[in-house]
Amino acid sequence: MDLGILSLILVAVLFICLALGLWVGFALTAVGLAAMVLATSAPVGAVFATKVWGALNIWDLTALPMFIWMGEILFRSRLSSDMFRGLAPFTRRLPGGLLHVNILGCALFAAVSGSSAATTATVGRMSLPELRSRGYDDRMSIGTLAGSGTFGFLIPPSIILIVYGAATEQSIARLFLAGVLPGLMLAVMFSGYTMIWATLNKHRMPPQEPPAPLREKLRGALLLLPTLALIVCVIGSIYAGLASPTEAAVVGVVGALAISLASNGLTRAGLWDSVRGAAMTTCMIAFILAGAAFLTGAMGYTGIPRSLAAWIGEQQFSPYALLAALLLFFIVLGFFLDGISIVVLTTSVILPMVLAAGIDPIWFGIFLVLVVEMSQITPPVGFNLFVLQSITGRDIFSIARYALPFFLILVLATVMLTVFPQIALWLPSTMMAR
Amino acid sequence: MRKALDGLYGAALIASVMAMVTIAGLVLFQVAGRIIDRVLGWFGADALGLSVPSLAEIGGFLFVASAFLALPATLRAAGHVRVTMLARALPPTGARALTLLVVAAATALGLFAAWHSWLQTLDSWQFNSVSFGMIRIPLWLPQGGMTLGLVIFAVALTDELVAALRGRDPAFIAAEASKSIDAMEGH
């Protein structure tokens, strides 16, 4: 069969399955089945079993449940209230005031959690009611939170980067480090925008509070100390080459348990909920990975990714043109799909083409995360929007409108990352060689 | 019958959690062993060399078992991702017909997955395939964990299909309606 027609059929099958509401893992399996039945005579079932087994039976993936568990424990601890009380004394005098708690709080929690929606939920549960009671503009409170919540995927640990690393056989440690500087850069950009907005819209800001006394600042710093120590242990040990991501994650689980126990924030029921939640989230991701593994194998039989890559190679496109086209494509895809599904679809079909264009796979992982972050805050399917909807009771389209400036900043950050790839690649290059 | 099925899904989830906690335990033991050796080294003592042989392989096996055994419980808790836009836009009768179609397709795919995973396990058993590491683990064991998870998943999907055919709401539909932000980890 002609590859062009086959590709069209497969894209149609994918979109019909997804639109009908078939689970993503099964939708990917169905596309793989269609591809193999139409294009090959290879034994479909045997390929399915070997590909799924081979792609999931991987040591690197054990980092996934461990980091998710760590996040689940901290999500149930008193961290979110501690974070607000700890950060507030420091940001009071800045233009934009406590709105910066959203940004800094998300950056901090993102460094112990690999999930954007969990980051949004943890910070938002505490900060949104507090900001409202102090007279902050609701639209800006929700917008900063929706934007900053997306740090969860960029600042290590990151579930998306583990999935990408396992699917593309890249070093997860390097991917993690590559996310650090872009994450900090985004935090600075969000904070900068908030300051400018607050200066221009003084009438929509509450009156400035007096500076916090030193004692309050010290008490705040003390509340943040355990979290900071945990971040240094987990990310630091990966950077220094002392621990693999899984080992660092397990140390993180122990640390998270210790912090929760010390602050009396963990009950027996909470502990069970955390392991149960971690097992189910891991399962949800693994199901999508299983479908994607079979799809990748099936696509290999059809030869579509190979010929796409060859075609791109012949066209001599500039990488910028290719990335611009991909960015647009991903933003559209992000309206309808969640982040992990976008990543696995990319690694199944698009990655050979990207590599053929001479693009660094580690850098591309960070590019992909930025795109996935955008998908988190674009309606109608965006998980940060869902979280904020359930916290605030507003509909997702209004929330998406409040988040629009931050969406545009994400696009700008992606452009900067493309022009200056060293923002991502410098830190992993300084990592101690192993 | 209802009780027995719920017990089956619950037991599979507990097994999944145990596999996950075992990974944490083994890795922690390995890390502790390395720290002890380093401390002993500072005092000039000999390293004990405490470590878990073939940890990388065993970890991968346990990950597969943990991931697949949680499939049924995650399904019923609406933990798996799907696009619900069309279902929400349709009137109730249309949405019900759509659910039936989706669950029927999923059950067929679930049976396909379980059957071929079983055949793979059987193959490994017949040819005595073992893993490559220091400890030679027969591959049918971890592959059996994957098969078990997929078989119970197929049972859970059939269970949902029967509910939909009888005109009741499947468990995942009810769970989707009451989903809270506590279940947003991973996105």
Side-chain angles (χ1 to χ4, degrees), chain A residues 30-294:
Chain A
V31 179
L33 270 174
M36 291 204 65
V37 170
L38 290 174
T40 71
S41 53
V44 185
V47 171
F48 173 84
T50 36
K51 291 292 173 191
V52 171
W53 166 250
L56 289 182
N57 160 30
I58 294 211
W59 162 247
D60 281 354
L61 280 175
T62 54
L64 203 58
M66 295 306 129
F67 277 123
I68 294 173
W69 189 15
M70 173 181 165
E72 285 271 352
I73 295 167
L74 292 172
F75 177 70
R76 288 175 168 76
S77 74
R78 279 187 20 201
L79 190 63
S80 81
S81 64
D82 283 357
M83 200 107 83
F84 189 88
R85 284 188 295 151
L87 286 170
F90 295 95
T91 66
R92 250 195 224 173
R93 297 292 288 174
L94 294 174
L98 297 186
L99 289 174
H100 294 283
V101 170
N102 272 345
I103 300 165
L104 291 176
C106 284
L108 269 181
F109 193 75
V112 289
S113 160
S115 143
S116 279
T119 302
T120 312
T122 311
V123 177
R125 273 192 308 193
M126 199 63 202
S127 76
L128 286 182
E130 289 275 355
L131 289 172
R132 175 173 299 170
S133 72
R134 287 167 206 229
Y136 280 86
D137 187 67
D138 254 3
R139 281 173 287 181
M140 198 60 183
S141 313
I142 296 174
T144 46
L145 184 61
S148 318
T150 63
F151 295 161
F153 280 152
L154 188 56
I155 297 178
S158 157
I159 288 172
I160 289 279
L161 285 175
I162 297 176
V163 168
Y164 177 83
T168 59
E169 296 180 4
Q170 294 298 319
S171 151
I172 290 167
R174 278 175 194 278
L175 283 166
F176 274 8
L177 292 171
V180 173
L181 284 182
L184 294 178
M185 177 183 87
L186 258 183
V188 169
M189 288 166 84
F190 284 175
S191 270
Y193 170 78
T194 306
M195 286 185 195
I196 294 169
W197 182 90
T199 316
L200 294 179
N201 295 279
K202 281 219 166 71
H203 58 284
R204 280 163 71 183
M205 288 289 296
Q208 202 171 37
E209 294 175 55
L214 185 65
R215 253 187 64 180
E216 201 178 321
K217 282 192 178 171
L218 279 178
R219 203 179 303 147
L222 210 61
L223 280 174
L224 296 175
L225 209 59
T227 314
L228 286 173
L230 193 61
I231 294 172
V232 170
C233 281
V234 172
I235 315 278
S237 61
I238 297 176
Y239 180 71
L242 291 174
S244 70
T246 307
E247 290 167 344
V250 172
V251 172
V253 166
V254 174
L257 282 172
I259 289 178
S260 300
L261 285 175
S263 63
N264 292 323
L266 193 70
T267 56
R268 187 176 289 185
L271 185 63
W272 164 247
D273 282 350
S274 74
V275 278
R276 182 176 170 275
M280 286 197 180
T281 303
T282 307
C283 168
M284 174 274 283
I285 296 169
F287 183 30
I288 298 177
L289 276 174
F294 173 54

Side-chain angles (χ1 to χ4, degrees), chain A residues 18-27 29-30 33 44-46 48-53 56-59 61-62 64-69 71-72 75-76 109 113-118 121 125 153 159 242-244 246-247 250-251 253-254 272 274-290 294 335-341 376 380-381 383-384 386-388 390-391, chain B residues 10 13-14 16-17 19-25 27-31 34-35 38 55-75 77-88 98-99 101-103 105-114 116-120 139 141-144 146 150 153 157 160 172 176 179-187:
Chain A
L18 288 175
L20 288 179
L22 192 60
W23 289 273
V24 172
F26 276 147
T29 310
L33 270 174
V44 185
F48 173 84
T50 36
K51 291 292 173 191
V52 171
W53 166 250
L56 289 182
N57 160 30
I58 294 211
W59 162 247
L61 280 175
T62 54
L64 203 58
M66 295 306 129
F67 277 123
I68 294 173
W69 189 15
E72 285 271 352
F75 177 70
R76 288 175 168 76
F109 193 75
S113 160
S115 143
S116 279
R125 273 192 308 193
F153 280 152
I159 288 172
L242 291 174
S244 70
T246 307
E247 290 167 344
V250 172
V251 172
V253 166
V254 174
W272 164 247
S274 74
V275 278
R276 182 176 170 275
M280 286 197 180
T281 303
T282 307
C283 168
M284 174 274 283
I285 296 169
F287 183 30
I288 298 177
L289 276 174
F294 173 54
F335 283 114
F336 307 101
L337 274 182
D338 69 294
I340 291 164
S341 309
Q376 295 286 113
V381 179
F383 282 90
N384 285 25
F386 295 159
V387 170
L388 285 168
S390 65
I391 299 180
Chain B
L13 180 65
I14 289 176
S16 154
V17 164
M20 192 182 89
V21 175
T22 308
I23 297 176
V27 172
L28 195 62
F29 183 80
Q30 175 101 336
V31 171
R34 213 155 68 207
I35 292 174
R38 191 157 294 185
L55 177 60
E57 242 176 26
I58 296 170
F61 293 163
L62 286 168
F63 173 80
V64 171
S66 173
F68 281 85
L69 285 165
L71 278 170
T74 311
L75 169 76
H80 291 307
V81 189
R82 68 189 199 106
V83 181
T84 51
M85 252 154 37
L86 186 60
R88 277 176 207 193
L98 184 65
T99 303
L101 175 72
V102 164
V103 177
T107 307
L109 287 164
L111 288 169
F112 165 83
H116 286 287
S117 177
W118 162 249
L119 288 184
Q120 173 174 256
L139 280 182
L141 240 158
Q143 287 175 349
M146 169 167 141
L150 283 171
F153 189 39
L157 283 164
E160 299 282 60
F172 75 90
E176 271 171 5
K179 206 160 179 208
S180 72
I181 53 165
D182 292 351
M184 279 291 174
E185 183 71 43
H187 290 291

